[in-house]
Protein backbone atom coordinates (compact mmCIF):
# COMPACT_ATOMS: atom_id res chain seq x y z
CA UNK A 1 0.00 0.00 0.00
CA UNK A 2 1.23 3.51 -0.77
CA UNK A 3 2.98 5.20 2.11
CA UNK A 4 0.60 8.14 2.22
CA UNK A 5 -2.60 6.21 1.40
CA UNK A 6 -3.77 4.51 4.58
CA UNK A 7 -6.86 2.84 3.11
CA UNK A 8 -8.91 2.57 -0.08
CA UNK A 9 -12.49 1.45 0.52
CA UNK A 10 -14.30 0.21 -2.61
CA UNK A 11 -17.66 0.10 -0.78
CA UNK A 12 -18.33 -3.22 -2.53
CA UNK A 13 -21.60 -3.95 -0.75
CA UNK A 14 -23.18 -0.51 -1.19
CA UNK A 15 -21.96 -0.11 -4.77
CA UNK A 16 -23.08 -3.58 -5.82
CA UNK A 17 -26.53 -3.02 -4.33
CA UNK A 18 -26.83 0.25 -6.25
CA UNK A 19 -25.67 -1.47 -9.46
CA UNK A 20 -27.90 -4.55 -9.05
CA UNK A 21 -24.90 -6.86 -8.82
CA UNK A 22 -25.04 -7.69 -5.10
CA UNK A 23 -26.50 -11.12 -5.82
CA UNK A 24 -23.25 -11.98 -7.60
CA UNK A 25 -20.98 -10.73 -4.83
CA UNK A 26 -20.73 -8.26 -1.99
CA UNK A 27 -16.96 -8.64 -1.57
CA UNK A 28 -15.87 -7.99 -5.19
CA UNK A 29 -16.63 -4.66 -6.86
CA UNK A 30 -18.97 -5.31 -9.81
CA UNK A 31 -20.47 -2.23 -11.45
CA UNK A 32 -22.52 -1.37 -14.51
CA UNK A 33 -21.35 1.08 -17.12
CA UNK A 34 -22.84 4.57 -17.37
CA UNK A 35 -23.59 4.62 -13.62
CA UNK A 36 -21.39 6.17 -10.89
CA UNK A 37 -19.92 4.22 -7.99
CA UNK A 38 -18.07 5.55 -4.95
CA UNK A 39 -14.68 4.81 -3.43
CA UNK A 40 -13.14 6.38 -0.34
CA UNK A 41 -9.47 7.18 0.17
CA UNK A 42 -8.07 7.66 3.65
CA UNK A 43 -4.85 9.68 3.43
CA UNK A 44 -2.31 10.55 6.08
CA UNK A 45 -2.38 14.18 5.05
CA UNK A 46 -4.99 16.87 4.40
CA UNK A 47 -6.04 16.83 0.76
CA UNK A 48 -6.42 19.99 -1.32
CA UNK A 49 -8.47 20.11 -4.53
CA UNK A 50 -5.51 21.81 -6.16
CA UNK A 51 -3.47 18.64 -5.72
CA UNK A 52 -3.06 16.10 -8.49
CA UNK A 53 -5.13 12.94 -8.09
CA UNK A 54 -5.07 10.55 -11.03
CA UNK A 55 -6.94 7.31 -11.57
CA UNK A 56 -6.13 4.81 -14.32
CA UNK A 57 -8.33 1.92 -15.42
CA UNK A 58 -7.10 -0.84 -17.73
CA UNK A 59 -8.58 -4.01 -19.17
CA UNK A 60 -7.04 -6.72 -21.32
CA UNK A 61 -3.40 -7.60 -21.96
CA UNK A 62 -2.74 -4.66 -24.28
CA UNK A 63 -4.65 -1.69 -22.84
CA UNK A 64 -4.70 1.43 -25.01
CA UNK A 65 -6.66 4.69 -24.66
CA UNK A 66 -7.42 4.66 -28.39
CA UNK A 67 -9.09 1.23 -28.08
CA UNK A 68 -11.21 2.15 -25.08
CA UNK A 69 -9.31 -0.30 -22.89
CA UNK A 70 -7.32 2.26 -20.87
CA UNK A 71 -8.23 5.64 -19.42
CA UNK A 72 -6.37 7.97 -17.11
CA UNK A 73 -8.63 10.53 -15.47
CA UNK A 74 -8.92 12.59 -12.33
CA UNK A 75 -10.78 15.26 -10.43
CA UNK A 76 -9.28 18.07 -12.51
CA UNK A 77 -10.61 18.96 -15.97
CA UNK A 78 -8.95 17.55 -19.11
CA UNK A 79 -7.00 14.83 -17.35
CA UNK A 80 -7.84 12.22 -20.02
CA UNK A 81 -5.35 11.70 -22.83
CA UNK A 82 -6.30 13.03 -26.25
CA UNK A 83 -7.78 10.24 -28.38
CA UNK A 84 -9.15 8.25 -25.45
CA UNK A 85 -12.12 6.27 -26.77
CA UNK A 86 -13.94 5.41 -23.54
CA UNK A 87 -13.92 8.41 -21.21
CA UNK A 88 -14.18 7.62 -17.50
CA UNK A 89 -14.76 10.48 -15.06
CA UNK A 90 -14.72 11.20 -11.35
CA UNK A 91 -15.63 13.94 -8.92
CA UNK A 92 -15.13 14.58 -5.22
CA UNK A 93 -18.21 13.72 -3.18
CA UNK A 94 -19.54 16.43 -0.88
CA UNK A 95 -19.36 14.02 2.08
CA UNK A 96 -15.54 14.09 1.89
CA UNK A 97 -13.57 15.47 4.83
CA UNK A 98 -10.56 16.80 2.98
CA UNK A 99 -8.89 18.33 6.04
CA UNK A 100 -8.72 14.91 7.72
CA UNK A 101 -7.58 13.24 4.51
CA UNK A 102 -10.86 11.41 3.86
CA UNK A 103 -11.66 11.73 0.13
CA UNK A 104 -14.75 10.05 -1.36
CA UNK A 105 -14.82 9.93 -5.15
CA UNK A 106 -17.75 9.33 -7.45
CA UNK A 107 -16.35 7.35 -10.40
CA UNK A 108 -18.38 6.84 -13.59
CA UNK A 109 -17.52 4.29 -16.30
CA UNK A 110 -18.75 5.44 -19.72
CA UNK A 111 -21.86 3.81 -21.17
CA UNK A 112 -19.70 2.44 -24.00
CA UNK A 113 -16.92 0.92 -21.87
CA UNK A 114 -15.85 -2.62 -22.79
CA UNK A 115 -17.24 -5.14 -20.31
CA UNK A 116 -14.82 -7.25 -18.33
CA UNK A 117 -12.30 -7.16 -15.50
CA UNK A 118 -10.37 -3.93 -14.92
CA UNK A 119 -7.47 -2.84 -12.77
CA UNK A 120 -7.91 0.50 -11.01
CA UNK A 121 -4.83 2.39 -9.85
CA UNK A 122 -4.65 5.71 -8.04
CA UNK A 123 -1.72 8.13 -8.00
CA UNK A 124 -1.52 10.98 -5.52
CA UNK A 125 1.01 13.13 -7.34
CA UNK A 126 3.81 11.35 -5.51
CA UNK A 127 5.84 8.33 -6.65
CA UNK A 128 3.55 5.78 -4.98
CA UNK A 129 0.27 4.27 -6.20
CA UNK A 130 -2.27 1.65 -5.13
CA UNK A 131 -4.08 -0.81 -7.37
CA UNK A 132 -7.42 -2.63 -7.01
CA UNK A 133 -9.67 -4.53 -9.42
CA UNK A 134 -13.29 -4.32 -10.49
CA UNK A 135 -15.66 -5.88 -13.03
CA UNK A 136 -17.74 -3.76 -15.44
CA UNK A 137 -20.99 -5.08 -16.96
CA UNK A 138 -23.62 -3.85 -19.41
CA UNK A 139 -26.33 -1.66 -17.86
CA UNK A 140 -29.97 -2.14 -18.90
CA UNK A 141 -30.88 0.59 -16.35
CA UNK A 142 -28.85 3.24 -18.21
CA UNK A 143 -30.49 5.08 -21.10
CA UNK A 144 -27.18 5.59 -22.89
CA UNK A 145 -26.31 1.90 -22.87
CA UNK A 146 -27.28 -0.05 -26.01
CA UNK A 147 -28.96 -2.69 -23.81
CA UNK A 148 -31.20 -0.18 -22.01
CA UNK A 149 -34.59 -1.76 -21.21
CA UNK A 150 -37.09 0.86 -20.00
CA UNK A 151 -39.54 -1.39 -18.13
CA UNK A 152 -38.46 -2.33 -14.58
CA UNK A 153 -40.64 -5.47 -14.48
CA UNK A 154 -38.96 -6.67 -17.67
CA UNK A 155 -35.52 -5.91 -16.24
CA UNK A 156 -36.36 -8.00 -13.19
CA UNK A 157 -37.50 -10.88 -15.43
CA UNK A 158 -34.90 -10.76 -18.20
CA UNK A 159 -31.79 -9.74 -16.23
CA UNK A 160 -32.34 -10.51 -12.55
CA UNK A 161 -34.51 -13.66 -12.53
CA UNK A 162 -32.38 -16.74 -11.92
CA UNK A 163 -35.13 -19.28 -12.61
CA UNK A 164 -37.50 -19.80 -15.50
CA UNK A 165 -39.34 -22.18 -17.81
CA UNK A 166 -38.39 -23.65 -21.17
CA UNK A 167 -41.18 -25.04 -23.34
CA UNK A 168 -40.89 -28.38 -25.14
CA UNK A 169 -43.25 -30.74 -26.98
CA UNK A 170 -45.50 -29.96 -29.92
CA UNK A 171 -47.65 -26.98 -30.80
CA UNK A 172 -50.72 -28.85 -29.57
CA UNK A 173 -49.17 -30.69 -26.63
CA UNK A 174 -46.36 -28.86 -24.88
CA UNK A 175 -45.22 -28.40 -21.31
CA UNK A 176 -42.84 -26.13 -19.41
CA UNK A 177 -39.70 -27.53 -17.85
CA UNK A 178 -38.09 -25.71 -14.92
CA UNK A 179 -34.64 -24.27 -15.62
CA UNK A 180 -32.18 -22.83 -13.11
CA UNK A 181 -30.21 -20.11 -14.92
CA UNK A 182 -28.16 -19.23 -11.82
CA UNK A 183 -26.42 -16.26 -13.44
CA UNK A 184 -25.55 -14.74 -10.06
CA UNK A 185 -23.69 -17.68 -8.56
CA UNK A 186 -20.39 -16.17 -7.44
CA UNK A 187 -18.23 -18.41 -9.64
CA UNK A 188 -20.05 -17.01 -12.69
CA UNK A 189 -17.67 -14.02 -12.70
CA UNK A 190 -14.68 -16.22 -13.47
CA UNK A 191 -16.62 -18.59 -15.73
CA UNK A 192 -18.21 -15.95 -17.96
CA UNK A 193 -15.03 -13.89 -18.26
CA UNK A 194 -13.12 -17.07 -19.12
CA UNK A 195 -15.67 -17.81 -21.84
CA UNK A 196 -14.83 -14.50 -23.52
CA UNK A 197 -11.08 -14.94 -23.06
CA UNK A 198 -10.87 -18.36 -24.76
CA UNK A 199 -12.93 -17.41 -27.80
CA UNK A 200 -11.04 -17.72 -31.13
CA UNK A 201 -11.29 -14.01 -31.91
CA UNK A 202 -9.48 -13.22 -28.66
CA UNK A 203 -6.74 -15.73 -29.47
CA UNK A 204 -6.26 -14.21 -32.94
CA UNK A 205 -6.31 -10.54 -31.88
CA UNK A 206 -6.73 -10.00 -28.12
CA UNK A 207 -6.39 -6.24 -28.40
CA UNK A 208 -9.21 -5.95 -30.93
CA UNK A 209 -11.42 -8.50 -29.14
CA UNK A 210 -11.27 -6.76 -25.76
CA UNK A 211 -11.91 -3.38 -27.39
CA UNK A 212 -14.98 -4.80 -29.20
CA UNK A 213 -16.51 -5.94 -25.91
CA UNK A 214 -18.04 -2.48 -25.63
CA UNK A 215 -20.63 -3.69 -28.15
CA UNK A 216 -23.45 -6.08 -27.09
CA UNK A 217 -23.89 -7.13 -30.74
CA UNK A 218 -20.33 -8.42 -30.78
CA UNK A 219 -20.52 -9.97 -27.32
CA UNK A 220 -23.80 -11.71 -28.20
CA UNK A 221 -22.22 -13.30 -31.28
CA UNK A 222 -19.20 -14.46 -29.30
CA UNK A 223 -21.41 -16.03 -26.63
CA UNK A 224 -23.55 -17.73 -29.31
CA UNK A 225 -20.41 -19.31 -30.78
CA UNK A 226 -18.88 -20.27 -27.42
CA UNK A 227 -21.88 -22.12 -25.98
CA UNK A 228 -21.27 -24.91 -28.53
CA UNK A 229 -17.85 -26.50 -28.95
CA UNK A 230 -17.68 -27.08 -32.70
CA UNK A 231 -15.16 -24.37 -33.63
CA UNK A 232 -13.57 -23.59 -30.32
CA UNK A 233 -13.20 -24.41 -26.64
CA UNK A 234 -16.95 -24.00 -26.21
CA UNK A 235 -19.14 -25.20 -23.37
CA UNK A 236 -21.41 -27.92 -24.78
CA UNK A 237 -21.20 -30.78 -27.24
CA UNK A 238 -24.44 -31.72 -28.97
CA UNK A 239 -25.80 -35.23 -29.48
CA UNK A 240 -28.95 -36.19 -31.37
CA UNK A 241 -28.49 -39.93 -31.96
CA UNK A 242 -29.55 -41.11 -28.51
CA UNK A 243 -26.11 -42.47 -27.59
CA UNK A 244 -25.22 -40.69 -24.36
CA UNK A 245 -23.22 -43.46 -22.63
CA UNK A 246 -20.11 -41.28 -22.16
CA UNK A 247 -21.97 -38.20 -20.98
CA UNK A 248 -25.27 -36.91 -19.62
CA UNK A 249 -28.55 -37.32 -21.47
CA UNK A 250 -29.75 -33.80 -22.46
CA UNK A 251 -33.13 -34.36 -20.78
CA UNK A 252 -31.42 -34.76 -17.39
CA UNK A 253 -30.08 -31.21 -17.24
CA UNK A 254 -32.16 -28.69 -15.28
CA UNK A 255 -29.51 -26.05 -14.58
CA UNK A 256 -26.91 -24.01 -16.44
CA UNK A 257 -24.76 -23.77 -13.33
CA UNK A 258 -23.59 -27.39 -13.18
CA UNK A 259 -22.83 -27.35 -16.93
CA UNK A 260 -20.78 -24.15 -16.76
CA UNK A 261 -18.97 -25.32 -13.62
CA UNK A 262 -18.02 -28.62 -15.28
CA UNK A 263 -16.68 -26.78 -18.32
CA UNK A 264 -14.66 -24.34 -16.22
CA UNK A 265 -13.28 -26.92 -13.79
CA UNK A 266 -12.21 -29.24 -16.63
CA UNK A 267 -10.08 -26.48 -18.21
CA UNK A 268 -12.67 -25.67 -20.88
CA UNK A 269 -13.33 -29.23 -22.04
CA UNK A 270 -16.77 -29.52 -23.69
CA UNK A 271 -19.57 -30.94 -21.52
CA UNK A 272 -21.50 -33.88 -22.97
CA UNK A 273 -24.35 -33.55 -24.02
CA UNK A 274 -26.72 -30.81 -25.07
CA UNK A 275 -29.65 -30.26 -27.38
CA UNK A 276 -31.35 -27.02 -28.35
CA UNK A 277 -33.05 -26.20 -25.04
CA UNK A 278 -29.84 -26.91 -23.10
CA UNK A 279 -27.75 -24.70 -25.42
CA UNK A 280 -30.35 -21.93 -25.09
CA UNK A 281 -30.64 -22.22 -21.30
CA UNK A 282 -26.87 -21.92 -20.85
CA UNK A 283 -26.67 -18.97 -23.25
CA UNK A 284 -29.44 -17.16 -21.37
CA UNK A 285 -27.40 -17.53 -18.17
CA UNK A 286 -24.28 -15.96 -19.67
CA UNK A 287 -26.21 -13.14 -21.35
CA UNK A 288 -28.04 -12.23 -18.14
CA UNK A 289 -24.77 -12.31 -16.20
CA UNK A 290 -23.23 -9.74 -18.53
CA UNK A 291 -26.35 -7.56 -18.25
CA UNK A 292 -27.86 -8.16 -21.70
CA UNK A 293 -31.61 -8.73 -21.19
CA UNK A 294 -32.36 -12.23 -22.43
CA UNK A 295 -35.22 -14.72 -22.69
CA UNK A 296 -35.53 -18.31 -23.93
CA UNK A 297 -37.90 -18.78 -26.88
CA UNK A 298 -39.43 -22.00 -28.27
CA UNK A 299 -40.58 -22.25 -31.89
CA UNK A 300 -42.97 -25.14 -32.52
CA UNK A 301 -43.04 -26.74 -36.00
CA UNK A 302 -39.63 -25.21 -36.65
CA UNK A 303 -38.43 -25.24 -40.25
CA UNK A 304 -35.01 -26.72 -41.01
CA UNK A 305 -34.00 -25.51 -44.46
CA UNK A 306 -30.90 -27.33 -45.73
CA UNK A 307 -30.46 -25.78 -49.20
CA UNK A 308 -30.98 -22.05 -48.64
CA UNK A 309 -34.23 -21.99 -50.64
CA UNK A 310 -36.26 -20.57 -47.73
CA UNK A 311 -38.78 -23.33 -48.43
CA UNK A 312 -39.16 -26.72 -46.78
CA UNK A 313 -38.95 -29.03 -49.78
CA UNK A 314 -40.40 -32.54 -49.68
CA UNK A 315 -39.99 -34.99 -52.58
CA UNK A 316 -42.28 -37.82 -53.76
CA UNK A 317 -42.08 -40.32 -56.59
CA UNK A 318 -44.77 -40.77 -59.23
CA UNK A 319 -46.57 -43.27 -56.99
CA UNK A 320 -46.85 -40.79 -54.14
CA UNK A 321 -44.16 -42.44 -52.02
CA UNK A 322 -41.75 -40.17 -50.20
CA UNK A 323 -38.25 -40.14 -51.61
CA UNK A 324 -35.51 -41.14 -49.23
CA UNK A 325 -32.32 -39.17 -48.63
CA UNK A 326 -31.28 -35.78 -47.34
CA UNK A 327 -34.04 -33.21 -47.44
CA UNK A 328 -35.49 -30.33 -45.51
CA UNK A 329 -37.35 -31.13 -42.32
CA UNK A 330 -39.64 -29.71 -39.69
CA UNK A 331 -38.75 -30.18 -36.05
CA UNK A 332 -41.49 -30.52 -33.41
CA UNK A 333 -39.81 -27.65 -31.61
CA UNK A 334 -36.58 -25.69 -31.58
CA UNK A 335 -35.29 -23.37 -28.85
CA UNK A 336 -33.15 -20.23 -29.09
CA UNK A 337 -32.80 -17.01 -27.11
CA UNK A 338 -33.66 -13.39 -27.71
CA UNK A 339 -31.32 -10.66 -26.46
CA UNK A 340 -32.38 -7.03 -26.11
CA UNK A 341 -30.13 -4.39 -27.69
CA UNK A 342 -29.96 -1.47 -30.09
CA UNK A 343 -28.91 -2.05 -33.71
CA UNK A 344 -27.47 1.25 -34.98
CA UNK A 345 -25.30 -0.83 -37.31
CA UNK A 346 -28.46 -1.54 -39.35
CA UNK A 347 -30.48 1.66 -39.17
CA UNK A 348 -30.17 4.93 -37.28
CA UNK A 349 -33.91 5.36 -36.75
CA UNK A 350 -34.15 2.43 -34.33
CA UNK A 351 -36.48 0.26 -36.40
CA UNK A 352 -34.33 -2.82 -35.75
CA UNK A 353 -33.69 -2.13 -32.06
CA UNK A 354 -35.15 -4.44 -29.45
CA UNK A 355 -35.31 -8.23 -29.36
CA UNK A 356 -32.71 -10.09 -31.43
CA UNK A 357 -32.61 -13.83 -32.14
CA UNK A 358 -29.39 -15.54 -31.05
CA UNK A 359 -29.09 -19.31 -31.45
CA UNK A 360 -26.16 -21.24 -29.93
CA UNK A 361 -27.30 -24.64 -31.26
CA UNK A 362 -24.75 -25.55 -33.96
CA UNK A 363 -26.80 -25.66 -37.16
CA UNK A 364 -25.13 -23.34 -39.66
CA UNK A 365 -21.91 -21.45 -40.05
CA UNK A 366 -22.22 -17.70 -39.85
CA UNK A 367 -19.10 -15.87 -41.02
CA UNK A 368 -17.26 -19.17 -40.66
CA UNK A 369 -18.41 -19.99 -37.12
CA UNK A 370 -21.23 -22.10 -35.71
CA UNK A 371 -23.27 -19.24 -34.31
CA UNK A 372 -26.46 -17.41 -35.23
CA UNK A 373 -27.55 -13.80 -34.78
CA UNK A 374 -28.24 -11.32 -33.48
CA UNK A 375 -31.09 -11.23 -36.01
CA UNK A 376 -33.68 -8.49 -35.31
CA UNK A 377 -37.13 -9.95 -34.70
CA UNK A 378 -38.61 -6.89 -36.43
CA UNK A 379 -36.56 -7.66 -39.57
CA UNK A 380 -37.73 -11.28 -39.53
CA UNK A 381 -41.34 -10.11 -39.19
CA UNK A 382 -41.09 -7.65 -42.09
CA UNK A 383 -39.00 -9.89 -44.34
CA UNK A 384 -35.94 -7.64 -44.42
CA UNK A 385 -33.77 -10.63 -45.20
CA UNK A 386 -30.83 -8.67 -46.59
CA UNK A 387 -29.78 -7.65 -43.07
CA UNK A 388 -27.19 -9.20 -40.76
CA UNK A 389 -26.98 -11.43 -38.91
CA UNK A 390 -28.59 -14.63 -40.25
CA UNK A 391 -32.05 -13.15 -40.81
CA UNK A 392 -32.82 -15.45 -43.81
CA UNK A 393 -32.09 -18.58 -41.80
CA UNK A 394 -34.32 -17.57 -38.87
CA UNK A 395 -37.01 -16.43 -41.32
CA UNK A 396 -37.11 -19.93 -42.80
CA UNK A 397 -37.45 -21.44 -39.30
CA UNK A 398 -40.62 -19.49 -38.58
CA UNK A 399 -42.16 -18.68 -41.97
CA UNK A 400 -40.99 -21.00 -44.78
CA UNK A 401 -43.61 -22.56 -47.05
CA UNK A 402 -43.74 -26.35 -47.17
CA UNK A 403 -43.44 -27.25 -50.86
CA UNK A 404 -44.07 -30.75 -52.24
CA UNK A 405 -42.34 -31.92 -55.43
CA UNK A 406 -43.03 -34.92 -57.68
CA UNK A 407 -39.86 -36.51 -59.05
CA UNK A 408 -40.47 -38.08 -62.45
CA UNK A 409 -38.70 -41.19 -63.78
CA UNK A 410 -36.33 -39.05 -65.85
CA UNK A 411 -35.25 -37.12 -62.74
CA UNK A 412 -37.14 -33.92 -63.50
CA UNK A 413 -39.32 -32.45 -60.78
CA UNK A 414 -42.75 -30.84 -60.82
CA UNK A 415 -43.99 -28.54 -58.07
CA UNK A 416 -47.34 -29.73 -56.69
CA UNK A 417 -48.73 -26.24 -56.22
CA UNK A 418 -52.00 -27.22 -54.59
CA UNK A 419 -50.16 -29.14 -51.87
CA UNK A 420 -48.03 -26.17 -50.77
CA UNK A 421 -48.62 -25.41 -47.08
CA UNK A 422 -47.98 -21.80 -46.08
CA UNK A 423 -49.18 -22.15 -42.49
CA UNK A 424 -47.45 -25.20 -41.00
CA UNK A 425 -44.02 -23.80 -40.15
CA UNK A 426 -43.62 -21.58 -37.08
CA UNK A 427 -46.41 -22.05 -34.58
CA UNK A 428 -46.98 -20.82 -31.04
CA UNK A 429 -43.57 -19.19 -30.68
CA UNK A 430 -43.44 -18.90 -26.91
CA UNK A 431 -41.54 -17.73 -23.85
CA UNK A 432 -42.26 -17.41 -20.15
CA UNK A 433 -44.39 -14.37 -19.29
CA UNK A 434 -42.97 -11.51 -17.22
CA UNK A 435 -43.44 -11.99 -13.50
CA UNK A 436 -45.51 -15.17 -13.71
CA UNK A 437 -45.44 -18.80 -14.80
CA UNK A 438 -47.85 -18.11 -17.66
CA UNK A 439 -46.85 -18.53 -21.30
CA UNK A 440 -46.31 -15.51 -23.56
CA UNK A 441 -47.09 -16.18 -27.24
CA UNK A 442 -44.68 -14.20 -29.44
CA UNK A 443 -45.83 -15.52 -32.83
CA UNK A 444 -47.19 -12.17 -34.02
CA UNK A 445 -43.84 -10.51 -33.37
CA UNK A 446 -42.18 -12.91 -35.84
CA UNK A 447 -44.70 -12.93 -38.68
CA UNK A 448 -48.03 -11.63 -39.90
CA UNK A 449 -51.11 -13.65 -39.08
CA UNK A 450 -51.79 -16.32 -41.68
CA UNK A 451 -54.32 -15.18 -44.28
CA UNK A 452 -53.51 -11.49 -43.94
CA UNK A 453 -52.69 -9.66 -47.19
CA UNK A 454 -49.31 -8.62 -45.84
CA UNK A 455 -48.39 -12.24 -45.29
CA UNK A 456 -49.78 -13.39 -48.62
CA UNK A 457 -47.38 -11.22 -50.61
CA UNK A 458 -44.53 -11.30 -48.14
CA UNK A 459 -42.92 -14.62 -49.00
CA UNK A 460 -42.69 -14.24 -52.78
CA UNK A 461 -41.52 -10.64 -52.45
CA UNK A 462 -38.96 -11.53 -49.82
CA UNK A 463 -37.69 -14.51 -51.76
CA UNK A 464 -37.04 -12.26 -54.76
CA UNK A 465 -35.04 -9.85 -52.65
CA UNK A 466 -33.16 -12.66 -50.94
CA UNK A 467 -31.83 -14.21 -54.16
CA UNK A 468 -29.34 -11.40 -54.68
CA UNK A 469 -28.08 -11.18 -51.11
CA UNK A 470 -28.36 -14.61 -49.53
CA UNK A 471 -25.00 -16.20 -48.77
CA UNK A 472 -25.22 -18.98 -46.19
CA UNK A 473 -23.16 -22.11 -45.68
CA UNK A 474 -25.34 -24.69 -43.98
CA UNK A 475 -24.26 -27.92 -42.33
CA UNK A 476 -26.86 -30.38 -41.08
CA UNK A 477 -25.55 -32.11 -38.00
CA UNK A 478 -28.76 -33.68 -36.75
Amino acid sequence: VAEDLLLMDLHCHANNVAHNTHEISTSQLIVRRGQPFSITLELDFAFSTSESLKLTVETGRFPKPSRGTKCTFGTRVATCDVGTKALWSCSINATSSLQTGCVTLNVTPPADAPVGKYSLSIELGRPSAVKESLVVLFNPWCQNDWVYLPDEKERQEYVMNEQGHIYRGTAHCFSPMFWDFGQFEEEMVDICLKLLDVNPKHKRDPEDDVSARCNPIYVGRVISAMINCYDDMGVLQGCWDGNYHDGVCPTRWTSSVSILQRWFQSDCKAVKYGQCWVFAGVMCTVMRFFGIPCRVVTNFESGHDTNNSLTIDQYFDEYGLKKMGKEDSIWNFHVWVEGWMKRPDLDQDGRYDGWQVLDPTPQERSEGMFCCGPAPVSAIHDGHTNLKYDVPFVFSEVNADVVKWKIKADGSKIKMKYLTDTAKVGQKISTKAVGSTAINDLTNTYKYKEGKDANANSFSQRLGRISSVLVISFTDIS
Side-chain angles (χ1 to χ4, degrees):
V1 177
E3 186 176 272
D4 42 16
L5 177 58
L6 302 178
L7 178 70
M8 180 160 74
D9 187 349
L10 298 180
H11 301 297
C12 293
H13 185 275
N15 283 323
N16 290 6
V17 168
H19 285 250
N20 296 286
T21 62
H22 58 288
E23 291 190 47
I24 308 174
S25 175
T26 55
S27 59
Q28 180 180 15
L29 182 59
I30 305 172
V31 300
R32 299 189 186 274
R33 58 191 201 169
Q35 181 176 337
F37 62 93
S38 61
I39 58 175
T40 296
L41 312 177
E42 290 189 15
L43 313 175
D44 64 357
F45 59 92
F47 182 79
S48 167
T49 54
S50 63
E51 290 196 64
S52 172
L53 192 156
K54 283 187 178 181
L55 294 82
T56 299
V57 289
E58 299 178 323
T59 185
R61 284 184 286 161
F62 308 102
K64 286 184 180 178
S66 62
R67 306 306 297 269
T69 51
K70 179 178 181 179
C71 183
T72 299
F73 59 105
T75 54
R76 301 174 74 177
V77 180
T79 306
C80 291
D81 297 333
V82 175
T84 300
K85 182 181 174 186
L87 297 173
W88 290 59
S89 63
C90 74
S91 60
I92 297 176
N93 191 293
T95 61
S96 299
S97 176
L98 303 184
Q99 286 300 311
T100 62
C102 182
V103 184
T104 297
L105 301 174
N106 296 330
V107 180
T108 305
D112 60 350
V115 297
K117 192 167 188 175
Y118 283 76
S119 67
L120 167 65
S121 58
I122 297 179
E123 299 178 27
L124 296 163
R126 307 180 186 197
S128 54
V130 66
K131 185 175 287 189
E132 292 282 358
S133 66
L134 70 154
V135 173
V136 177
L137 303 177
F138 293 108
N139 192 352
W141 284 265
C142 174
Q143 292 189 32
N144 293 325
D145 197 310
W146 284 9
V147 302
Y148 173 64
L149 184 62
D151 187 285
E152 175 60 19
K153 289 181 179 178
E154 291 187 348
R155 290 192 293 254
Q156 290 301 316
E157 180 68 49
Y158 299 135
V159 180
M160 302 299 291
N161 195 352
E162 293 191 79
Q163 283 81 39
H165 287 152
I166 300 175
Y167 296 93
R168 301 184 302 170
T170 69
H172 305 292
C173 183
F174 60 87
S175 60
M177 68 170 293
F178 169 81
W179 194 267
D180 176 28
F181 297 111
Q183 69 269 26
F184 297 135
E185 296 291 329
E186 188 152 1
E187 61 267 35
M188 285 301 157
V189 174
D190 293 333
I191 293 172
C192 293
L193 294 179
K194 182 74 169 180
L195 186 141
L196 294 188
D197 285 344
V198 298
N199 93 80
K201 294 180 179 180
H202 184 78
K203 291 185 174 182
R204 284 196 303 269
D205 189 342
E207 184 180 328
D208 187 64
D209 171 74
V210 174
S211 177
R213 294 178 190 177
C214 64
N215 188 339
I217 303 166
Y218 176 83
V219 173
R221 276 184 71 73
V222 168
I223 296 170
S224 173
M226 287 301 300
I227 297 302
N228 70 74
C229 68
Y230 289 89
D231 307 293
D232 45 45
M233 299 170 69
V235 176
L236 271 165
Q237 182 174 329
C239 184
W240 289 268
D241 63 9
N243 184 7
Y244 312 121
H245 71 279
D246 60 341
V248 176
C249 175
T251 56
R252 288 179 54 194
W253 299 115
T254 58
S255 170
S256 302
V257 178
S258 53
I259 294 170
L260 288 164
Q261 286 174 338
R262 285 191 188 199
W263 173 78
F264 185 70
Q265 292 164 6
S266 67
D267 197 23
C268 307
K269 183 179 178 182
V271 177
K272 300 176 180 180
Y273 288 103
Q275 290 184 6
C276 62
W277 68 92
V278 186
F279 287 108
V282 174
M283 180 162 184
C284 187
T285 295
V286 179
M287 294 280 279
R288 288 184 182 180
F289 167 81
F290 279 112
I292 304 174
C294 189
R295 61 190 184 187
V296 178
V297 174
T298 303
N299 176 38
F300 295 98
E301 300 294 331
S302 188
H304 192 177
D305 175 22
T306 62
N307 60 0
N308 308 333
S309 65
L310 295 194
T311 57
I312 303 302
D313 298 306
Q314 299 177 347
Y315 300 97
F316 299 83
D317 65 19
E318 291 185 287
Y319 301 99
L321 299 175
K322 204 165 188 179
K323 299 286 282 185
M324 300 301 290
K326 185 180 176 75
E327 65 170 22
D328 297 340
S329 59
I330 300 173
W331 298 352
N332 285 339
F333 70 95
H334 182 55
V335 185
W336 55 68
V337 304
E338 290 177 0
W340 179 273
M341 63 192 74
K342 287 182 169 59
R343 292 302 302 272
D345 58 320
L346 300 180
D347 198 300
Q348 291 299 314
D349 67 5
R351 66 190 300 189
Y352 302 117
D353 295 352
W355 291 114
Q356 317 282 322
V357 172
L358 292 136
D359 190 348
T361 299
Q363 298 177 86
E364 66 161 305
R365 290 189 185 275
S366 174
E367 296 184 338
M369 299 287 289
F370 275 114
C371 65
C372 181
V377 174
S378 59
I380 297 161
H381 180 275
D382 293 336
H384 297 168
T385 47
N386 58 322
L387 299 174
K388 59 184 183 184
Y389 293 93
D390 309 305
V391 174
F393 178 70
V394 183
F395 177 86
S396 71
E397 290 182 297
V398 301
N399 210 12
D401 292 348
V402 179
V403 180
K404 292 180 169 61
W405 300 84
K406 181 164 71 173
I407 306 299
K408 300 177 71 174
D410 62 4
S412 62
K413 61 182 183 179
I414 301 173
K415 183 177 179 181
M416 296 186 280
K417 295 180 180 179
Y418 299 106
L419 295 179
T420 296
D421 189 341
T422 62
K424 182 175 179 62
V425 169
Q427 295 186 28
K428 204 166 182 67
I429 305 170
S430 300
T431 190
K432 176 187 172 297
V434 173
S436 79
T437 57
I439 192 169
N440 181 13
D441 191 324
L442 304 173
T443 309
N444 290 342
T445 68
Y446 278 85
K447 59 183 185 177
Y448 293 99
K449 288 185 178 180
E450 300 297 340
K452 295 287 186 182
D453 289 343
N455 194 57
N457 328 331
S458 63
F459 186 77
S460 58
Q461 291 175 353
R462 294 168 196 177
L463 196 55
R465 289 200 300 272
I466 290 162
S467 60
S468 62
V469 296
L470 178 60
V471 179
I472 293 181
S473 170
F474 188 94
T475 302
D476 180 9
I477 63 165
S478 58

